[in-house]
């Protein structure tokens, strides 16, 4: 199994920055997608940013130019750098990795426990 542990959330004023981290408990054999999602109160979970193996990096329109997703393979860690934060960015943020833990195994979605980001106006 793979556990994802997130950190870096908190309370920040509008215009501020935060960096979320997501550390995996082990290295995966292969990774298909690395992503960050968020869920605001009363709203559905939405995909914020994703890196697809061999493909482009994608962002939801509302965060383009402000958020950057990245990974450090040596540390088995994924990051979401968030800048110019707005009150509408307030949500619980979840990291998600889809990958295989071994050759011959099917891809599996792994999720972090979520970290709260609150942006005050």
């Amino acid at each position: 199994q793979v556990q994802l542990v997130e950190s870096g959330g908190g309370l920040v004023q509008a215009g501020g920055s935060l960096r979320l981290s997501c550390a995996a408990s082990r290295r995966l054999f292969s990774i298909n997608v690395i992503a960050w999602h968020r869920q605001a109160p009363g709203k559905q979970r939405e995909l914020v940013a994703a890196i697809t193996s061999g493909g482009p990096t994608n962002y939801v329109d509302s965060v383009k130019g402000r958020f950057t997703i990245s990974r450090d393979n040596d540390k088995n860690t994924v990051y979401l750098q968030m800048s110019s934060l707005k009150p509408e960015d307030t949500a619980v943020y979840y990291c998600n990795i889809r990958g295989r833990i071994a050759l011959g195994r099917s891809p599996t979605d792994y999720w972090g426990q979520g970290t709260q980001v609150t942006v005050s106006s």
Side-chain angles (χ1 to χ4, degrees), residues 36 49 57 59 63 65-70 79-83:
W36 286 92
T57 300
Y59 298 91
V63 308
R66 301 188 298 121
F67 290 12
T68 302
I69 185 173
S70 63
Y79 302 98
L80 184 67
Q81 178 67 49
M82 306 185 294
S83 303

Side-chain angles (χ1 to χ4, degrees), residues 7-25:
S7 60
L11 173 64
V12 64
Q13 288 189 332
S17 299
L18 283 174
R19 188 177 79 158
L20 305 183
S21 299
C22 173
S25 59

Side-chain angles (χ1 to χ4, degrees), residues 45-66:
R45 188 174 297 190
E46 70 169 346
L47 176 64
V48 176
I51 300 175
T52 302
S53 178
T57 300
N58 295 303
Y59 298 91
V60 66
D61 285 346
S62 60
V63 308
K64 285 181 180 177
R66 301 188 298 121

Side-chain angles (χ1 to χ4, degrees), residues 23-120:
S25 59
R26 56 170 286 179
R27 187 180 299 274
L28 274 71
F29 174 76
S30 65
I31 293 176
N32 301 102
V33 181
I34 293 173
W36 286 92
H37 303 248
R38 67 185 179 187
Q39 187 166 20
K43 295 187 177 181
Q44 289 188 331
R45 188 174 297 190
E46 70 169 346
L47 176 64
V48 176
I51 300 175
T52 302
S53 178
T57 300
N58 295 303
Y59 298 91
V60 66
D61 285 346
S62 60
V63 308
K64 285 181 180 177
R66 301 188 298 121
F67 290 12
T68 302
I69 185 173
S70 63
R71 60 191 289 187
D72 186 329
N73 292 332
D74 291 338
K75 296 182 178 179
N76 296 332
T77 301
V78 180
Y79 302 98
L80 184 67
Q81 178 67 49
M82 306 185 294
S83 303
S84 302
L85 283 161
K86 305 175 181 180
E88 50 264 43
D89 294 319
T90 295
V92 177
Y93 285 71
Y94 299 89
C95 68
N96 162 229
I97 296 178
R98 178 179 298 169
R100 304 171 190 263
I101 60 172
L103 182 65
R105 299 289 294 271
S106 298
T108 301
D109 275 304
Y110 301 98
W111 291 87
Q113 80 285 359
T115 185
Q116 176 70 47
V117 171
T118 303
V119 184
S120 63

